Amino acid sequence: MMQRDLASAMLGMVVERDDPGHAVVSMRVREDMTNGFAITHGGLVFTLADTAFAIACNEDHRVTVAAGADITFLKSTVAGQTLTATAVRRARSGRTGLYDVTVVDEQGDAVAEFRGRSISTNRTI
């Protein structure tokens, strides 16, 4: 999946870990990833978390997509910092799953908490 993910590649995301139900993805924040207040754009923090979520929930031959997600922003970051998103499966039953993703900065401080809900399709990878 990640070999064809052009958006994550464009943002410079690096997959650090890819295990069933668990993923770690990092991204260095560039100047062009900041908003009008010179802090990391929230949509890009969400995108990082969403990518880790996507890797964690695509753990078998079925294509699994997001059914919904929420994020809480806890700390702002700036260009030059590296963010790391760690996704963990909380529950999986039938076609649905629940995953939590924590995004931290290079100090290990929580930047955001993301909860994703997945649904497996009938398509295969």
Side-chain angles (χ1 to χ4, degrees):
M1 175 186 75
M2 287 305 292
Q3 293 172 348
R4 295 182 309 275
D5 187 337
L6 300 178
S8 295
M10 174 200 55
L11 294 170
M13 291 186 197
V14 176
V15 178
E16 309 285 347
R17 183 171 179 176
D18 178 358
D19 295 320
H22 187 209
V24 179
V25 180
S26 64
M27 177 181 77
R28 185 163 177 84
V29 179
R30 302 184 313 243
E31 288 288 335
D32 64 346
M33 297 175 169
T34 61
N35 64 21
F37 298 113
I39 59 175
T40 308
H41 193 291
L44 297 175
V45 175
F46 185 98
T47 302
L48 174 64
D50 187 52
T51 296
F53 163 55
I55 294 168
C57 70
N58 277 281
E59 53 187 280
D60 61 23
H61 65 282
R62 295 178 296 172
V63 172
T64 301
V65 296
D70 304 286
I71 194 165
T72 301
F73 299 105
L74 303 170
K75 178 183 177 186
S76 60
T77 57
V78 297
Q81 291 189 267
T82 298
L83 305 181
T84 302
T86 301
V88 178
R89 179 188 345 104
R90 295 295 177 212
R92 186 174 179 208
S93 178
R95 295 178 53 213
T96 63
L98 184 66
Y99 296 78
D100 286 334
V101 183
T102 300
V103 178
V104 299
D105 63 15
E106 63 280 340
Q107 307 288 320
D109 293 336
V111 171
E113 291 288 341
F114 170 108
R115 175 158 273 192
R117 296 169 303 282
S118 69
I119 183 127
S120 295
T121 69
N122 293 326
R123 293 178 40 212
T124 58
I125 297 175

